[in-house]
Amino acid sequence: MFKRSTPILASFNEAQTIAFYTQQLGFAFCTNNNGYLIFERDGINVHLFRCNDPEAGRNMGCYIYVTDIETLYREYQALNLIHPNGPLQMMPWGLRQFAVVDNNGNIFYFADDKPVDEAGA
């Protein structure tokens, strides 16, 4: 029944968010509708809403499931984007994942959900 999901996260500064998502995370900027930002990469959309209250935007994040996680990890590692507590690793719940925090404090977990025997962990 379900086909896809789109995270809607907080943005505290439009210009900085656009720069971070396009120049650092490699997303294409699609639109700015009065502070509501939309980005896309490989068919995955991320939306961000204008938020002026840091408390209202706390603790936001999402999982993005990817293929070829090693390549993406190296791409973000070269840009020094990997969260200090989020290196690529096999998690007890069966996902190989790593974490990146954007310029607004939103956390992204990039995960490869292949079975352990296929993922080579």
Side-chain angles (χ1 to χ4, degrees), residues 15-72:
Q16 290 176 2
T17 297
I18 292 168
F20 186 86
Y21 276 74
T22 58
Q23 297 168 15
Q24 300 291 307
L25 294 181
F27 279 79
F29 175 59
C30 298
T31 191
N32 180 347
N33 186 5
N34 196 29
Y36 190 90
L37 309 174
I38 299 175
F39 299 89
E40 185 272 337
R41 180 171 176 173
D42 296 332
I44 297 295
N45 290 293
V46 175
H47 295 199
L48 292 103
F49 67 95
R50 180 185 300 144
C51 183
N52 297 319
D53 179 2
E55 288 300 311
R58 288 187 54 185
N59 302 316
M60 295 186 132
C62 66
Y63 268 90
I64 296 180
Y65 296 94
V66 301
T67 60
D68 198 6
I69 196 165
E70 292 85 4
T71 299
L72 184 63

Side-chain angles (χ1 to χ4, degrees), residues 88-100:
L88 182 60
Q89 60 187 310
M90 177 58 74
M91 304 308 289
W93 47 89
L95 292 178
R96 288 177 62 225
Q97 70 179 45
F98 68 90
V100 170

